[in-house]
Amino acid sequence: MNFQLRHNLLITVFIIVIIVAMWFLMKGSLYSSEPASLTKNQTLTEHEAPSQERSYLEKIDYFVLQEFDANQTLSHLVEADRYYNFKDSPALLINPKVTTYDQKGASNYTLSAKRAHYLDNGKVSFKGQVDVSSINGIKHKMNTEELLIDTNTDDLTSHKKVTYLGENAKVVSQGMLMKTKDNKMKLTGDVRINQDSGQQMLTNDLTIDQSNNQKHYHSDNNTTYLSTANKIYAQGMDMDMQKQITQLFGDVKILQDSGSIIKANNLTVDQSNGRELYKTNEHIHYQSQAADIRAKVMYYDAVAQKIKLSGGVVGRYE
């Protein structure tokens, strides 16, 4: 009887030992499947990572980098909520902000975005929506695949599609160049201005000038103005975004949906208060199937489709 009892106890102990050993093995397996330390080779979470998950070599929270010029004066301050260093890719900045300083050490411009890459040559490449603000109150907002700031010259450059977000319009271009010290930006290549009121303008190499508290879009290249009932061709344009008045320069041709043609010089388009008025006092030539009229002054309400010609009017009717 005692022998039987001892035999049963041995079997029970053996089973317990096996269960404990298996438990330790399972625990070790679970630990080995956990991610590595936050400082080495961990895959970024979906919230933190770029579009595709990649492992990083180093992570720094609250990243700050100061850059000084030859006179040991602070020239740039690069800040970010997080900094990720990769083996074969540029470093990634989350919520980056770059501040530029003048030769006296006063802040000049600030650029901010959700993401940027810090390149080996010292340039910072912003991604997505970028806000550019100067100390004198000038602000620019734009979306782009890449916006580079050169930390040697402070110039901003993009060779990819740029969507500039204006107050009453969105401007789409093939690139951009900005010399921050001049407070002037050039949207390069083919440019399309989509106004909130529905009109469009097509031109090339548009300058956005906000110096001296103004807001002007200017181009010396051929420009096409498109509205609901008219298409206007000109040799250049200047749009005052504050007054909502556009000057179309040079030889101007208005093509109406009815087929009529109006030729003029230096046309003013007044879009203030929801209007669309075309005005000029420089030699008007109106041609339709039924009339050929010349005058010196034109007042054209494009919404009401009413034209008033005055000043030495000479007409021929068929």
Side-chain angles (χ1 to χ4, degrees):
M1 189 71 179
N2 292 335
F3 174 79
Q4 184 65 36
L5 179 60
R6 286 196 300 272
H7 182 265
N8 291 339
L9 286 172
L10 287 173
I11 293 175
T12 303
V13 171
F14 181 70
I15 293 173
I16 291 173
V17 170
I18 291 176
I19 292 174
V20 171
M22 291 179 64
W23 182 82
F24 275 110
L25 287 173
M26 292 175 64
K27 184 177 179 181
S29 176
L30 286 172
Y31 280 135
S32 66
S33 67
E34 289 182 354
S37 155
L38 285 178
T39 59
K40 293 290 182 180
N41 296 327
Q42 179 177 343
T43 299
L44 300 178
T45 67
E46 183 176 357
H47 176 70
E48 295 176 319
S51 57
Q52 58 181 15
E53 292 186 354
R54 295 174 295 176
S55 60
Y56 60 84
L57 301 177
E58 179 185 19
K59 172 187 174 184
I60 301 175
D61 289 325
Y62 310 112
F63 175 80
V64 177
L65 175 66
Q66 293 178 315
E67 297 182 353
F68 297 86
D69 60 20
N71 298 319
Q72 296 303 308
T73 301
L74 180 64
S75 60
H76 299 87
L77 179 65
V78 181
E79 302 172 88
D81 288 350
R82 290 183 298 280
Y83 166 97
Y84 295 103
N85 183 28
F86 301 98
K87 181 179 180 181
D88 299 318
S89 301
L92 174 66
L93 304 177
I94 302 296
N95 295 326
K97 182 172 74 171
V98 177
T99 305
T100 66
Y101 296 84
D102 61 22
Q103 295 180 347
K104 297 180 180 180
S107 61
N108 189 9
Y109 264 87
T110 299
L111 289 82
S112 59
K114 290 184 177 180
R115 297 183 184 280
H117 283 132
Y118 192 83
L119 307 181
D120 292 338
N121 58 10
K123 293 183 179 180
V124 180
S125 173
F126 289 88
K127 309 292 182 181
Q129 181 169 316
V130 184
D131 294 342
V132 182
S133 303
S134 74
I135 193 170
N136 58 11
I138 295 175
K139 295 181 182 295
H140 302 279
K141 288 181 179 290
M142 66 197 81
N143 284 314
T144 180
E145 295 179 22
E146 181 181 70
L147 176 63
L148 293 170
I149 175 171
D150 189 329
T151 52
N152 295 314
T153 64
D154 292 347
D155 290 347
L156 308 181
T157 308
S158 178
H159 299 292
K160 298 184 179 181
K161 178 182 176 181
V162 173
T163 300
Y164 182 89
L165 307 175
E167 293 181 351
N168 301 304
K170 289 184 180 180
V171 186
V172 181
S173 69
Q174 294 177 298
M176 66 86 67
L177 172 64
M178 181 176 182
K179 295 186 177 297
T180 57
K181 296 176 182 178
D182 297 334
N183 289 329
K184 291 183 180 180
M185 175 186 294
K186 177 173 284 189
L187 298 176
T188 56
D190 295 335
V191 176
R192 182 175 72 252
I193 303 172
N194 298 318
Q195 295 181 271
D196 293 347
S197 53
Q199 293 87 351
Q200 275 192 347
M201 271 190 275
L202 309 177
T203 188
N204 293 85
D205 294 341
L206 183 75
T207 298
I208 296 178
D209 187 353
Q210 296 197 52
S211 60
N212 301 319
N213 296 318
Q214 63 180 339
K215 290 186 179 181
H216 277 260
Y217 297 175
H218 181 89
S219 176
D220 292 323
N221 298 299
N222 290 338
T223 300
T224 302
Y225 176 93
L226 304 171
S227 69
T228 304
N230 299 288
K231 182 182 292 186
I232 306 176
Y233 298 99
Q235 295 177 300
M237 57 83 70
D238 185 279
M239 178 185 291
D240 187 328
M241 298 301 292
Q242 292 177 328
K243 296 180 180 179
Q244 296 186 354
I245 292 178
T246 300
Q247 303 289 340
L248 296 175
F249 300 130
D251 295 332
V252 176
K253 180 187 291 187
I254 304 173
L255 302 181
Q256 296 180 290
D257 282 351
S258 62
S260 299
I261 299 174
I262 304 172
K263 294 181 180 179
N265 292 89
N266 300 328
L267 186 72
T268 298
V269 179
D270 185 349
Q271 293 178 288
S272 61
N273 300 317
R275 301 179 298 182
E276 188 175 354
L277 305 176
Y278 306 159
K279 297 179 287 186
T280 184
N281 55 4
E282 296 188 35
H283 305 293
I284 314 304
H285 186 191
Y286 175 89
Q287 295 172 293
S288 69
Q289 293 181 348
D292 189 307
I293 305 172
R294 297 179 184 271
K296 293 182 179 179
V297 179
M298 180 183 72
Y299 185 94
Y300 179 5
D301 187 333
V303 176
Q305 286 295 295
K306 292 183 178 180
I307 303 175
K308 180 180 179 181
L309 300 176
S310 59
V313 178
V314 176
R316 179 173 57 86
Y317 300 91
E318 295 180 359

